[in-house]
Structure formats: C-alpha cells, structure tokens
Amino acid sequence: MRLITQVLKTLLATSVFMLPVISASSMAAEYSPNFKGTEITEFINIVGKNLKKTIIVDPNVRGKITVRSYDLLTEDQYYQFFLNVLQVYGYAVVEMPTGVLKVVRDKDAKTSNIPVIDGELFNGDEMITRVVPVYSVPVRELAPILRQLNDQAGGGNVISHDPSNVMMLTGRAAVVNRLTEIIERVDKAGDREVEIIKLKYASASEMVRIIESINQSQGKQATPANLEPKIVADDRTNSVIVSGDIKARQRIVKLITRLDKELESNGNTRVTFLKYAKAEEIVKVLQGVSASIKAEEQQQQGGNNRRRNNNRDISIEAHVDSNALVITAEPDMMASLQEVIRQLDIRRAQVLVEAIIVEVFEGDGTSLGVQWATADGGGQQFTNGTVPIGQLAVAIDQARDRTTRSNVIGSETGEVTPIEETEEGDTTLLANLLGSVNGFMVGVVEDDWGAIVQAVSTDTNSNILATPHLTTMDNEEAFFIVGQEVPIITGSQTGSNNSNPFQTVERKEVGTKLKVTPQINEGSAVQLVIEQEVSSVNGATSVDIAINKREIKTTVMADDGDTVVLGGLIDEDIQESISKVPLLGDIPFLGNLFKSTTTNKRRRNLLVFIRPTIIRDGITMNKISHRKYNFIRAEQLKRQADGIPLMPFTKAPSLPNWENALELPPSFEDYLQKQEAEEQD
C-alpha cells in the first residue's frame, strides 16, 4: 500500500501528459504535452511511444525538464517540439538511414552519421550537413565569417575546401539554411559580368592603356577590389574585354565608344622594338601582308562602290641598330600589322642534339712458315707475310767483310811485299729485312744448308667512343668538329730545267664532324637533317696518306628526349693465305715443313645514336648547362685527386663550384680571389 501511494505521488509531482486527441473530421492525432520535473530519458521514451519510433539514448544524456504546451500539436509539430526541447537542454537527434533516432550531446553530433541534404528539406532543429558551391568569392575568406554566425559550441561546424571552392556546413537545419542564404547573397554580390567591345578604328592595346591611365589618375587604388573593373585587350580580334560591377562596366563601355572614332588624319607612325625576331626579316613579311590587305580592300570597295579613303600608302622600314620597325599606316592597317608582329616576335625554341658514336674493332692474325735453301741453288721460299730467305741470304752476303790480298813490289829494292785489305760489308739491306720481321724467327745453317722458321700471332682491339653535342636554334644549321687539319699534296710542278720545284698542298679536316638542322613540329616531335662523319688517318701510301672515312647523311623524326639510331656498320672479314710445295705440302704433319700459312680475321662494329632535347625556356637551358658544368668539374676534381706525376705539391686547376642551378656560374675573378684567400689562410 505504501509503495502504490509513493508511485502515485511521483507521477503527480513529475509529469502530466495528455493522451492523444483524435479528431473525428481529420482522423489525425493531436498532442498536448505537459512535463514538469520529468527525467529527460522518460520524456524521450514517451515521445518515442507516441511517434512509434525507435530512439537510442546516449548514456551521457541526463537531467530533468519542465515544459508545457497549451495548444494541440500535430504529429510533425510534436516532433519539432521534441527537437526544440532537446536543443534547449543541449542535446541533438541524429536520424539514421534505417529510421532509428539517436539522442546525443550537441558537441558529439557533428561527428555522427548526419545526413547530407540538398535544398531546404528541413527547417527545424535537425542536425544536417550541406555542401554549398561558391562561384565568385574565395571560400578561404568566407569561412571565418560563417564560423562566427554558426553555433560552434552546439555541434555546428564550417569547413572550406579551397581546390573545389565549396563550403561544408554542419549544424541544425535552421542555422544551416540561414548560412546558405548568406552565402548565396554574398556570392551574388561578387558576381562579375563580362562584356566584349569590338573596336572599328582604334587599337585595342592602345585603348586599354588610355583607360588604365584614366583610372589611375582618378584614384583607382581607393576602389574596393570587388568593384574594380578589369580591362584586357585582345589584339587578335582588336577587341576590349571589360569585367566588373555593372556601373563600372557601363562607364568604361561608354568611354570606349566615344574614343573609338575615325581619325581625321590619313595615317599614324609607330615604332615597334622587337624582342626576339630580326627587323630586316620581319619587314619582308609585313610588306607582303600589307599588299594583300590593300588588294582585298580594293576589291571590296569596287564591289560595294564605296571608298573610305583614297590614300592607303603604307611605309615599313627596319632600323637594324636598335632592331626596331618604323611603320606608318592607318589605324586598322596598323592593328593588323601589329598582330602579325606579335605572333612572329616570339622566343624561338632551341634544340640540344647529343650524338653517341661507338666503334669496336677486333683483329687477329697468325702466320707460320718454313723456308730452306742450299749453297748449290736449291730451296723453297714464301712471301706471304714472311721474310724471303733468298733476300736474306743476299743481305747476309752483302753484310760480310771482304779481304783482298795483293803484292807490292818495291821501286828500289825490287822486293815483293804481300798486303791484305779488308772492305767492310754493306748492312743496309740486312737491316731493312730484319726491321720488317714481326714475331718469332730462327735460322739454322749447317753443311751449306740453311733454314728459317718464322711464326707470329697478332691481336688488335680498339674501342672508340665519341659523344659530340651542340645546341642550336629551331630551323638553324649548326656545325661541330673535333679533329685536325691534315696536309695533302694535290699537285707538284718543276721548272723547264727541273729547277725550283714546288708542290700545292690542301688541308683536309679529319676527326669527328656533326652537322644538324633541327625543325620542331607540332607537339614534341623534332625533324633532324643530319650529316655525321668520323674520319682518321690510316697511314702513308705510295702516293700520299690514306684516310678512313665513315659518313651518314639522313633525315629522321624523333620525339623530345628520345634516342634514335641513325645507322651502323657491322662487318667481319676472314682471309687465309697458304703457300706450299705441291704434293709435299699436302703430307699430313710433315707437310708443314713445305708450306707457309697466314690467317687474318677482322671484325668491326660501328653504331651512331642521336638524341634531341627541346629547350623552350631559359630555366631548361640553365638546368642543362648546370649538369654539363658539374660533369666537367667532376672530371677535373678526379684528376686533381689523382695528382700530377713528379709534381706532388702542384694543384691542378678546376672550375669553381656552381651550386644553385638558377644562378649564373661565378666569374673567374671571383674564383681567383677565393683561391688567394684560401692560400693566405
């Protein structure tokens, strides 16, 4: 009994909630909430039962509420009343996709699964997120203002995304809708319309210059940035583009219209200084363009029977010293010529052409022969790479000293005295023969028999690598050579009595040559007209010297930075020479005593590679120069570390350090001063 009494007192003291009232006409439920000192969890349970919704309550939600309504509320109003009560006490409702409601604290609501909506679907205290695109105002500047208007402590949040220029707003629906409306109004205020005014008589660039001068003289710096008009000249169509506030645009358009009038004079003169092109070359192009324009205008005037001006004389002269053009023409003709100059006076691209020439040569040779002879005149002799035994015998005989004996009779006494005279032999022929011996040679002489055995094996290897490279302008021929000038006799002549002879000599360039003409096509392709030559002196002949020459002439297409193989020579030559005595030389094993064998094998591999690199700006050129500069300096430092033989305390010269690729290399004077300072320290 005591327990029942206590429960009744509690119900009467804490809450009084009227049951739903159902109207007979509308059959819609109406609610009249009345809570006094009720636990908030109990309040949430009652609302959930009435609305037939599943509600999950966060454990941190606690407290008592007191609220009363004197009006009957519909179901939607009753739900908004529920949200309003929770918002007043610092709580929020998060609706899940399944329809389940979660009641959490305001500060925890922004990290929950809040729905992302478009448009004003909600306008109460629901927690929502909206993504609002901004078109005319930077979101970085707009975000701090919106954060001051948003309920940061109550779970609201404002995030700006600069790359897409959008705002992400999180908070209660009513607050988010108000912030969205503010963004739309501010974004509309920053909108800038654009107008294009095509000029008939004046020049677009000159018109822009005049208007900007007027704005500066009227205190342009005091105008707000969003109201300041922007003026740009389009020389291609001779038009002026104006953007900004409507009143500022109207003022500038009116001013342009008043200034765009036909001149009373027949022409004007302008001096144009060129930046990249040559004035004397541009003059020829402009004269052709002006003649074409005049011919077209004459045809139009003849067909329409109207003439605007009889005098259309045009003067175009080049001032070479200042690389400038002096043009006298009417404004419309002047505008056309200035547009041609603007498109032609551009920085031309450059091309770095790097060539790699690789030549690998291998040569092997083997010679073995036996020769013999007798004093009676028999023997065998071979000449395929060996010293002939006959010539060797004659040379030995000439090299021997010869002794002659004679008797001398005295004039007074008549006595006969024997005298011996020794004549030294001539070793010239023997020296020449022995000097031509290559390899092993042994001779045997026994009982008027003599034999020579000669054997030699040769092995030749060479590896040549050349990497010439040069930089040239687009469509400009460049020539590169590393080598020497070799004198070659081209003729000789003597006098009538064979006196005063003289010879005519021509010097020929021998070495590595590279001649290239690049042409940059649309995109990154480069057409190269290439002449590549590698030559060297082979040796003297009976007439003059012999020159080895390998040359390639071709036209190729390569992409920027790609490597192209131009061509190559790969050959292999095997020669075998056998001299033998018939029948005897064919005897197995024993036949080697009656023959001489010489075998030569040569193999040559030659390949040429080309790589073009397009250089369109100074930064790219500076990077390439920096890389080449550091490569040469590294080679010098390597030699400096190795030292100079027999001069250990001598420091080899080297380039100064160039650290920053965006700066010019240090001057030679600065480098010397730095070296002197280091030596003094």
Side-chain angles (χ1 to χ4, degrees):
M1 189 65 180
R2 182 179 180 183
L3 179 59
I4 296 174
T5 304
Q6 186 176 356
V7 171
L8 292 175
K9 290 182 179 181
T10 303
L11 291 175
L12 293 174
T14 58
S15 65
V16 176
F17 188 81
M18 296 185 67
L19 294 177
V21 179
I22 301 177
S23 175
S25 60
S26 62
M27 298 300 292
E30 294 182 346
Y31 303 89
S32 179
N34 187 3
F35 297 91
K36 182 178 180 181
T38 306
E39 290 289 338
I40 193 170
T41 55
E42 184 65 21
F43 167 70
I44 295 172
N45 291 333
I46 295 173
V47 173
K49 291 179 181 179
N50 293 332
L51 297 178
K52 298 180 180 180
K53 291 182 177 292
T54 302
I55 302 177
I56 302 175
V57 183
D58 187 274
N60 295 317
V61 176
R62 60 175 65 92
K64 295 182 179 182
I65 65 170
T66 299
V67 63
R68 184 175 181 178
S69 175
Y70 295 97
D71 297 329
L72 294 178
L73 304 178
T74 63
E75 185 173 344
D76 292 338
Q77 293 175 342
Y78 182 61
Y79 180 68
Q80 291 298 327
F81 168 79
F82 172 65
L83 297 178
N84 298 148
V85 172
L86 293 179
Q87 187 269 335
V88 171
Y89 286 91
Y91 301 105
V93 175
V94 178
E95 185 175 357
M96 304 301 293
T98 57
V100 178
L101 304 180
K102 293 193 303 182
V103 180
V104 296
R105 293 182 297 182
D106 282 343
K107 62 180 181 180
D108 297 333
K110 61 183 178 180
T111 59
S112 301
N113 188 17
I114 301 176
V116 180
I117 65 170
D118 294 328
E120 297 183 0
L121 299 178
F122 300 93
N123 195 20
D125 287 336
E126 300 92 340
M127 295 297 294
I128 63 172
T129 297
R130 288 191 65 176
V131 179
V132 182
V134 183
Y135 301 99
S136 304
V137 181
V139 293
R140 185 188 301 107
E141 300 177 1
L142 190 59
I145 301 175
L146 298 179
R147 291 192 181 100
Q148 297 178 9
L149 301 177
N150 196 8
D151 185 12
Q152 298 288 334
N157 194 14
V158 177
I159 301 176
S160 62
H161 187 252
D162 296 340
S164 58
N165 204 51
V166 299
M167 299 293 300
M168 290 176 283
L169 308 176
T170 299
R172 302 189 182 275
V175 178
V176 171
N177 292 337
R178 183 170 64 91
L179 296 179
T180 303
E181 184 179 356
I182 294 174
I183 293 175
E184 292 176 352
R185 294 191 178 185
V186 173
D187 194 24
K188 186 181 299 184
D191 190 13
R192 303 170 68 89
E193 295 289 340
V194 176
E195 291 190 28
I196 300 177
I197 302 96
K198 184 173 179 58
L199 304 181
K200 296 181 179 179
Y201 308 102
S203 172
S205 57
E206 187 68 16
M207 183 68 70
V208 170
R209 185 187 64 81
I210 295 173
I211 296 176
E212 288 181 347
S213 300
I214 295 175
N215 291 338
Q216 290 178 359
S217 62
Q218 293 179 352
K220 176 181 175 181
Q221 62 276 9
T223 306
N226 61 330
L227 299 179
E228 180 181 332
K230 300 295 182 182
I231 310 170
V232 179
D234 183 14
D235 294 330
R236 184 179 62 86
T237 59
N238 197 34
S239 303
V240 177
I241 304 173
V242 183
S243 67
D245 184 69
I246 183 172
K247 294 184 178 180
R249 292 199 315 271
Q250 291 175 353
R251 179 177 60 85
I252 293 177
V253 170
K254 183 178 180 180
L255 180 60
I256 293 175
T257 305
R258 296 177 61 183
L259 291 176
D260 187 25
K261 301 295 182 180
E262 184 178 2
L263 296 177
E264 296 180 359
S265 60
N266 293 330
N268 59 350
T269 301
R270 179 179 297 184
V271 178
T272 304
F273 294 93
L274 302 180
K275 298 179 181 179
Y276 307 103
K278 293 183 180 180
E280 58 270 21
E281 296 178 357
I282 297 295
V283 167
K284 301 178 181 179
V285 179
L286 296 181
Q287 289 175 349
V289 172
S290 61
S292 177
I293 295 176
K294 289 175 62 177
E296 183 179 355
E297 289 182 352
Q298 290 176 359
Q299 292 179 359
Q300 293 178 356
Q301 291 174 1
N304 300 331
N305 194 18
R306 60 183 180 86
R307 298 175 59 192
R308 198 185 71 185
N309 202 327
N310 293 327
N311 188 6
R312 297 285 287 172
D313 294 336
I314 301 173
S315 175
I316 305 174
E317 301 292 338
H319 189 258
V320 181
D321 295 338
S322 61
N323 196 34
L325 297 172
V326 182
I327 305 175
T328 301
E330 292 188 4
D332 56 345
M333 181 69 73
M334 180 71 72
S336 300
L337 297 180
Q338 289 294 327
E339 174 62 20
V340 175
I341 295 173
R342 185 185 67 84
Q343 296 187 20
L344 293 180
D345 188 25
I346 60 175
R347 180 186 180 117
R348 295 170 59 188
Q350 303 180 82
V351 180
L352 170 65
V353 181
E354 298 173 286
I356 301 177
I357 305 169
V358 184
E359 181 178 1
V360 179
F361 175 78
E362 298 178 0
D364 297 328
T366 303
S367 178
L368 176 63
V370 179
Q371 303 178 82
W372 55 269
T374 66
D376 296 334
Q380 68 177 15
Q381 176 177 298
F382 304 108
T383 60
N384 55 342
T386 61
V387 177
I389 190 172
Q391 294 183 14
L392 184 59
V394 173
I396 292 175
D397 183 66
Q398 291 181 1
R400 290 176 179 174
D401 296 338
R402 301 182 182 278
T403 302
T404 58
R405 297 180 181 180
S406 60
N407 295 326
V408 178
I409 302 174
S411 59
E412 297 179 355
T413 61
E415 294 181 355
V416 178
T417 305
I419 298 176
E420 293 184 357
E421 294 181 357
T422 302
E423 181 182 358
E424 294 183 357
D426 186 5
T427 60
T428 303
L429 181 58
L430 180 61
N432 291 336
L433 290 175
L434 295 178
S436 64
V437 174
N438 182 24
F440 172 78
M441 186 180 72
V442 61
V444 179
V445 178
E446 186 68 30
D447 296 335
D448 294 335
W449 285 78
I452 296 177
V453 179
Q454 186 174 359
V456 62
S457 177
T458 59
D459 187 6
T460 304
N461 292 317
S462 64
N463 185 4
I464 301 174
L465 175 64
T467 58
H469 59 273
L470 50 86
T471 303
T472 182
M473 298 285 291
D474 183 22
N475 284 320
E476 293 290 340
E477 181 183 284
F479 181 71
F480 175 91
I481 180 172
V482 176
Q484 58 183 347
E485 291 186 346
V486 179
I488 298 176
I489 300 175
T490 58
S492 62
Q493 185 176 356
T494 59
S496 58
N497 56 355
N498 293 331
S499 61
N500 192 23
F502 68 94
Q503 295 177 334
T504 58
V505 178
E506 178 185 355
R507 295 189 176 273
K508 184 176 180 60
E509 295 176 346
V510 177
T512 302
K513 300 179 184 179
L514 177 62
K515 183 185 293 185
V516 60
T517 303
Q519 177 181 345
I520 302 175
N521 297 327
E522 186 70 20
S524 60
V526 183
Q527 178 179 324
L528 300 171
V529 180
I530 301 171
E531 295 184 15
Q532 173 70 53
E533 178 183 323
V534 178
S535 57
S536 61
V537 178
N538 189 25
T541 63
S542 59
V543 179
D544 206 339
I545 62 175
I547 296 178
N548 296 328
K549 182 178 179 181
R550 292 169 291 279
E551 184 177 8
I552 295 177
K553 293 183 179 180
T554 183
T555 301
V556 298
M557 183 76 70
D559 290 334
D560 181 20
D562 289 350
T563 302
V564 179
V565 58
L566 297 184
L569 173 65
I570 301 177
D571 62 349
E572 185 172 356
D573 182 17
I574 299 177
Q575 297 181 357
E576 185 176 2
S577 174
I578 299 176
S579 299
K580 63 182 178 179
V581 178
L583 299 179
L584 296 178
D586 297 331
I587 301 175
F589 301 106
L590 186 61
N592 292 327
L593 299 177
F594 301 97
K595 65 181 178 181
S596 175
T597 304
T598 300
T599 303
N600 293 319
K601 179 181 178 182
R602 294 182 302 174
R603 184 177 182 181
R604 177 184 289 110
N605 297 335
L606 173 64
L607 290 175
V608 179
F609 302 90
I610 289 288
R611 181 178 68 182
T613 301
I614 300 176
I615 304 173
R616 300 187 184 275
D617 49 37
I619 296 177
T620 305
M621 173 63 77
N622 201 13
K623 291 181 179 179
I624 295 175
S625 302
H626 185 257
R627 185 175 68 251
K628 299 291 185 182
Y629 185 94
N630 287 336
F631 172 77
I632 294 298
R633 186 172 185 272
E635 292 290 333
Q636 292 181 333
L637 294 178
K638 180 181 178 182
R639 291 182 177 272
Q640 192 177 83
D642 295 339
I644 302 176
L646 303 181
M647 301 176 67
F649 300 103
T650 302
K651 189 175 182 180
S654 63
L655 294 172
N657 188 19
W658 183 11
E659 296 180 354
N660 191 354
L662 298 179
E663 298 179 356
L664 294 175
S667 63
F668 186 70
E669 290 76 9
D670 297 339
Y671 175 68
L672 291 180
Q673 293 177 1
K674 184 178 179 180
Q675 292 291 106
E676 292 177 359
E678 292 178 356
E679 292 178 358
Q680 292 177 0
D681 294 341

